[in-house]
Amino acid sequence: MAHEVITMASGSIETGSTDLKITIEGDSKMPFWNHDLKVKAILALLDSIDVKHYHEDGLINEANESYEHIIESAKAAFGLDLFDFD
């Protein structure tokens, strides 16, 4: 197990702007790919979400859209979208 630091950013290639930058640090059993460490980070972030705050801010539609996007992204990341016959 290696201690790893991963930095990822999302944004626009055209403009060079960065919308979001994430740094993840921790132990990984996959020192090159670090997928296990990314999954730990994803789960920690998901555990920190409180849907009650979406309700309080009148953003329940955004919460539902985010939920659907998270589910679809998780299925795609693990190859489960290949078996989705909806």
Side-chain angles (χ1 to χ4, degrees):
M1 191 171 295
H3 191 78
E4 302 287 336
V5 177
I6 308 165
T7 301
M8 297 179 282
S10 79
S12 171
I13 294 174
E14 291 84 27
T15 65
S17 68
T18 300
D19 298 333
L20 178 66
K21 182 177 178 181
I22 300 170
T23 301
I24 304 166
E25 184 173 347
D27 295 327
S28 175
K29 294 178 184 176
M30 303 173 80
F32 182 75
W33 299 109
N34 304 121
H35 295 315
D36 60 332
L37 187 55
K38 294 173 199 173
V39 169
K40 288 178 193 177
I42 290 164
L43 293 174
L45 287 170
L46 285 172
D47 285 345
S48 72
I49 295 171
D50 188 342
V51 73
K52 174 182 74 175
H53 298 136
Y54 278 90
H55 285 280
E56 291 171 354
D57 291 339
L59 298 171
I60 192 62
N61 288 336
E62 286 83 351
N64 289 332
E65 290 172 11
S66 295
Y67 163 79
E68 293 294 332
H69 191 80
I70 289 167
I71 297 302
E72 293 306 313
S73 293
K75 285 180 180 180
F78 288 94
L80 299 177
D81 60 331
L82 302 174
F83 307 104
D84 197 8
F85 299 106
D86 292 339

